[in-house]
Amino acid sequence: MTATILDGAKVAADIRRETAESVAELAARGAIPGLSVIVAGEDPASQVYVRNKEKLAREAGIRAETLRFPATVTEAMLLAEIGRLNAAPEVDAILVQLPLPGGIATSRVLEAIDPAKDVDGFHPLNVGRLVQGKRAPVPCTPAGIMELLKRESVPLRGTRAVVLGRSDIVGKPMATLLTKADATVTVAHSKTRDLPALCAEADLLVAAIGRPAFVTADFIGEGAVVIDVGINRIDTIEEVLRCFPGDEAKAAAFAAKGSLLVGDVHPADVKLRASRYTPVPGGVGPLTIALLLANTVDLCRARRGL
Ligand code: GUN
């Protein structure tokens, strides 16, 4: 099997271009979509993500701001800031970057966001609405994956899908969306018995378990479509050799930088077994941000009745 790449970066660029057109139409009617991102603490990956979110939002014409708080921020301070954003007429979309610093109750913070401004769709009201098939903001990563599958004409109806991972951010909403698209969905996780064999039965495998190159050849059915949600940093030569055997360019990059990024799927194995797959980087990551921008526009329209 010679696997071909599902080009998430290209589809994401298409979605951002379409979103920028929608923003221009809204702006011409006096409504500039507004996105406020809250980030607390110094998590390096989060800092990179929020920088990219703000930059690409601005490129699409969205009024975007990032509100930065130290790791010592209290829950009360975050709740007060969210209250202010909930009341601000120019703010259509609020995103609280996760993870939050220890000691802060993530659920209390997410539940403080006005559901009409909940661009991630993490508020329990929106989670419930999504499960019931009602109109709701769809969490950005699963929404991006669904958009990729649609635009690349990956069949879903009647197929077997395995979602590996059961997080609130990816696994659970992904399973909901695939079920709605008439796939037969199994949610698998680290405690699942005979995990490789179960995954290998899937026509579509979505890996969102957060472990570097965890999905090896034995997890991947011949000809499966494989979506890799993972972004993991590896920093030992043993891991580099396991993930990128014989890859001199990666070995050189590791020597220069001291670490490398790898998905949840083994990058060499997937090429031998899958029919189509998303690479890391350049697969799911760019789609998440593109759908954040699209969701911001949707919330703006809904809130302002446009
Ligand atoms: N952290 C990792 N992924 C996400 C996401 O999609 N949204 C938010 N808010 N935080 C994240």
Side-chain angles (χ1 to χ4, degrees), residues 49 53 95-99 120 122 141 169 288:
Y49 295 149
K53 285 171 182 176
L95 181 146
V96 176
Q97 184 67 28
L98 302 178
D120 265 324
F122 292 164
T141 299
I169 294 180
T288 297

Side-chain angles (χ1 to χ4, degrees):
M1 179 72 56
T2 319
T4 57
I5 284 178
L6 287 166
D7 193 345
K10 180 194 165 292
V11 170
D14 290 345
I15 294 169
R16 289 202 308 273
R17 189 166 7 83
E18 294 159 18
T19 303
E21 287 166 13
S22 300
V23 172
E25 282 167 26
L26 285 165
R29 299 164 72 183
I32 300 175
L35 167 67
S36 295
V37 175
I38 291 178
V39 60
E42 307 300 331
D43 181 63
S46 288
Q47 298 295 330
V48 174
Y49 295 149
V50 298
R51 257 203 312 278
N52 282 334
K53 285 171 182 176
E54 182 180 315
K55 174 173 173 280
L56 293 173
R58 289 195 174 161
E59 279 177 25
I62 290 170
R63 190 200 314 270
E65 62 174 354
T66 304
L67 304 161
R68 292 188 164 77
F69 293 87
T72 51
V73 70
T74 62
E75 198 174 300
M77 285 163 74
L78 289 180
L79 295 179
E81 188 65 17
I82 289 168
R84 188 184 69 75
L85 296 171
N86 284 344
E90 73 282 8
V91 175
D92 296 287
I94 302 169
L95 181 146
V96 176
Q97 184 67 28
L98 302 178
L100 288 169
I104 293 179
T106 300
S107 59
R108 271 205 292 272
V109 171
L110 295 180
E111 284 172 34
I113 298 172
D114 178 349
K117 297 189 176 188
D118 173 28
V119 72
D120 265 324
F122 292 164
H123 191 288
L125 187 91
N126 286 324
V127 176
R129 290 181 61 85
L130 187 71
V131 170
Q132 291 186 337
K134 296 181 180 142
R135 193 182 159 82
V138 181
C140 304
T141 299
I145 293 168
M146 293 304 290
E147 200 58 36
L148 176 71
L149 296 172
K150 185 168 104 189
R151 292 181 187 223
E152 295 287 338
S153 305
V154 173
L156 295 176
R157 180 178 300 171
T159 63
R160 284 191 204 190
V162 171
V163 178
L164 180 51
R166 51 182 160 174
S167 69
D168 292 339
I169 294 180
V170 183
K172 286 180 200 168
M174 191 77 242
T176 299
L177 295 170
L178 289 169
T179 303
K180 196 171 158 200
D182 298 326
T184 302
V185 183
T186 304
V187 179
H189 46 79
S190 57
K191 309 290 190 302
T192 298
R193 202 167 9 103
D194 302 330
L195 185 58
L198 179 94
C199 291
E201 286 184 21
D203 303 302
L204 171 69
L205 177 60
V206 180
I209 198 165
R211 296 192 191 183
F214 179 78
V215 172
T216 43
D218 49 333
F219 286 69
I220 304 170
E222 178 82 25
V225 174
V226 179
I227 305 294
D228 189 351
V229 182
I231 304 177
N232 310 292
R233 194 165 287 282
I234 53 173
D235 56 9
T236 67
I237 187 66
E238 290 77 18
E239 278 286 78
V240 171
L241 292 173
R242 182 180 75 83
C243 294
F244 302 103
D247 188 332
E248 287 176 14
K250 288 288 183 188
F254 175 66
K257 288 189 279 186
S259 70
L260 290 177
L261 290 182
V262 67
D264 289 353
V265 178
H266 194 288
D269 286 10
V270 72
K271 291 181 193 161
L272 300 174
R273 302 282 306 160
S275 59
R276 293 190 271 180
Y277 70 99
T278 59
V280 175
V284 172
L287 287 164
T288 297
I289 300 186
L291 269 287
L292 168 67
L293 310 185
N295 279 0
T296 299
V297 167
D298 287 348
L299 291 181
C300 173
R301 283 211 180 97
R303 267 188 73 240
R304 306 193 197 200
L306 295 169

